[in-house]
Amino acid sequence: MDRDRISSCTRIFQISGIKIREKKRVLFQGILQLGGKYKGGPAYRSGCTHLIIPKVLGNEKFLAACAAGKWVVTPDYVLDSVKNGSWLAEEPYEIAISTRATSDFYPVRPWREKVASRRISGAFQGWKVLLMVQEPIIRSAFKRLLKAGKAKVYCYPPPSRACITHIVAKPVTEDCKSHNAPYYSVNHVAQHLFGSKCVDMKFKISDYHPAGTKASFVVNFSTLETELKDYVIEQEALPRLLFLEFLSYQEPYPPHSQESEPDFCNIGSMIECGLFMEALDTLRSAVFPGLLPPAPVLIALLEYAQQGNATSDFLSNLQQILHMILLTNPPWHPPSSMKKYYKQVFQCPQCKTGLWAFLETAISYCLCSDSACHPMPGPALPALLHFYRDLLAFLLKLFQGELHSGNTGDFLPPVGSVVPQQSSSTSLLYGTFWTVWERSTLLSRAVKQLTQFLVQAATEDFSQSRDQQKLPLADTLLDLLSVLVEFWCQQHYRLNYSLVEKGLKDLAEHFAVISQDVSPAVLAELVMRICSTRLRLVVADAVFRNLCCRNGQTVGDDALSLRKMVLSYLPALGDLALCPTTPHQTSGQSTAKTRLELENLPKGLNRVNAAGETLLHRACKRNQVETVFKILALPGTDVNVKDHAGWTPLHEACNHGSAACVEALLRHQPRPVLNNQVGGVSPLHDALLNGHVDVAKMLLEFAGSTLLEQTDGHGRTPLDLVSKAPLRKELLHSAQVGDAGLRNRTASPFLNLPLLEFGSALLVHIFVSYQKEKGLSIFTQLSDRPHSLGCRLLRALQEHSFQKVTVDWTDQRTVRLMQDAQVLLELGRGTCVGEVDQAVKECKEDNTLLLMKMLENLKCSGAALVSDLSVQRM
């Protein structure tokens, strides 16, 4: 190939002999910058036009490029071309070696010039080689080398009628001499290419190992799964919540000497005489590490505070004493009787049914609710309201400390002390929020009630507070729920991770259902404030799926993954933007509707006949429109479900002329797919083939003239099926009506901008939390960690299919993480792009802009991974 032809073609490069990865990266980027292409891998690629090497090498790539007449240049060719801004001439950069003679020797030039002038097609033109090399990898390399020089290569034994001109062997054996052709060692290949200059080139091809033979990527998929599973377990064990107030906490120790023991009997007498403030003052000086006031004393003070007659000073001082007791004698500190003390003190003074009743009373009073276990002072007193909120904050700190001690191993007893191991089942968290029979489920009765309180508090706080940065009660309850989730998950994930996933899903779906009538602004604010990434992820996902379901979108109930977010959630967001209104019901209406739907499910809903037809198929065939409406009203209905032959309900309705059913299907969200074909038959073809012109017009008025461009298995368009000119004219008119309707819908895409912004906000939280929670950072910065687990996983996906790598894997967490890696690579190559609606792309609102930027960053991350892997293979 001459220079004029090269200049008009795309340059395709390979690189060899450069060990420093950063130099490879610079060359790779320079090639792409000037419009060239790069082919990686250890072997010679026949499609390349240029080979970049720093010096003459004795490897496959160099010998093959020489035999094929390619350009072999130094790295400066690319670097100088980048500085020039366009490709330079290759001759000054052609590889050369210094010889004993006065001038340099250009080993590749003679063959390149002969190939470019078309005198020969390759250095081994006319050779018919019997290749007798025992080692398989080296034999494959020499086969590629000889073929690059246009030799015809036969492996042993050759065909009976093959006319052999050369026998190339390693080692040369007596069997080589038995054939009727001259035999050579592999050194003959180099001697043919370079003649006497082989001595000056200082390499022996007999010592040759193909590039990449020693560095070839051999991987044990089972070992990869084991390592990845260990990584997943390690990620799961990382604490999601760290509390600054406990990070520098030091265990308090009793003082060595104490002048006088406090007289708790005197404090009790003060309380009996109604001297509550005096009792508090005396108690303040009686709190020491290892020394607790009698439980009845604190119970009496708390009961007096709850009656509503205490002054603000008394309530404030009582809070201070409670915090002093927590800091000097925390419940996670030995002895075990410390927990019993807290359980005894912090319970409702009247019903005495445990800490949860105490919490429920405090929350109910703050919400002015009647769900407390006993009548409360009313109307709400500001001082008492403030006291209860502070009390909730105190209990939150108590639970945070217990979680922190379990996660980090802090708060250990003094060195040398012997303390028996205590079970987590005795913790205050377990005893407060789960009964013995509920501990295998996250969604206990107390957790359900706390979630209900949280939704109510968020709504009230948001409506009453002008400053949306302050949602005092909702923030406290939300932090408490995060602590509960983290504690329960930490207790179960090692034993039964499936149980943890189910518990999180149940809680998230419960939250989504009870909050579906809350305004999007409140709900988005609430999701944003969740401090546990684990909880934020599952809640945002459940709320988004619930939102789609209530607006007629089907996104599936399979496990969350990067592929699902890109290929399912992003298109669903576009459909949300086009919803005309947001469905709004009161909680009572929503519950009543759900109950009514369950009681009036169509008979045979879940029955599929031998042909694979669902009840929706059968109703469309019989034009049972009332049944169709009932089915479409159910959440999660798949309007595009197929029978065993591939027919959809829309096909059946068009085939049988069920116009009312077609209209119902077209109005459904998400919309049915109109271009599904079975044997080339689309719904429009089906309608016309069976003479249902009214149905055909309905389809065209809905989707426009694009339907007329479809062809069936015989190449016929829908209009080819219509013989009468007036009818063809009517169909064209219906198509024009459909086109006009589509233009109107496109002209005003944001029919529901608040819904789009809400959905975008949820997807932002899902994307961010998912990447952090699932540990996708393992696949970043591969250039700095070429032998890391993430690098080896991605290289496995580069060289093998995802199915081959994971076919024997049994842990679904590792399979999903590997699938996420595959999606990242596909995003980087541009082969996995979610169908984001144009209206979404053009939206200038904050959340949607952030989501689009995040998606672009994800694609860039994928492209960086592809680049890193390409550089590593150079």
Side-chain angles (χ1 to χ4, degrees), residues 468-484:
Q468 294 182 6
Q469 300 300 318
K470 298 178 181 179
L471 301 178
L473 181 58
D475 284 342
T476 301
L477 299 183
L478 195 57
D479 289 345
L480 180 55
L481 183 62
S482 294
V483 169
L484 299 183

Side-chain angles (χ1 to χ4, degrees), residues 217-227 792 796 800 805 809:
F217 183 62
V218 181
V219 61
N220 185 309
F221 297 144
S222 297
T223 302
L224 271 185
E225 183 193 19
T226 301
E227 293 184 55
R792 287 183 283 122
H800 308 279
V805 174
W809 288 16

Side-chain angles (χ1 to χ4, degrees), residues 276-314:
F276 294 99
M277 197 65 187
E278 289 77 0
L280 276 182
D281 292 338
T282 306
L283 188 61
R284 186 192 301 277
S285 60
V287 178
F288 295 102
L291 187 62
L292 287 165
V297 171
L298 280 181
I299 292 173
L301 294 173
L302 285 169
E303 184 176 11
Y304 173 70
Q306 290 178 306
Q307 291 173 359
N309 299 321
T311 65
S312 297
D313 289 340
F314 174 86

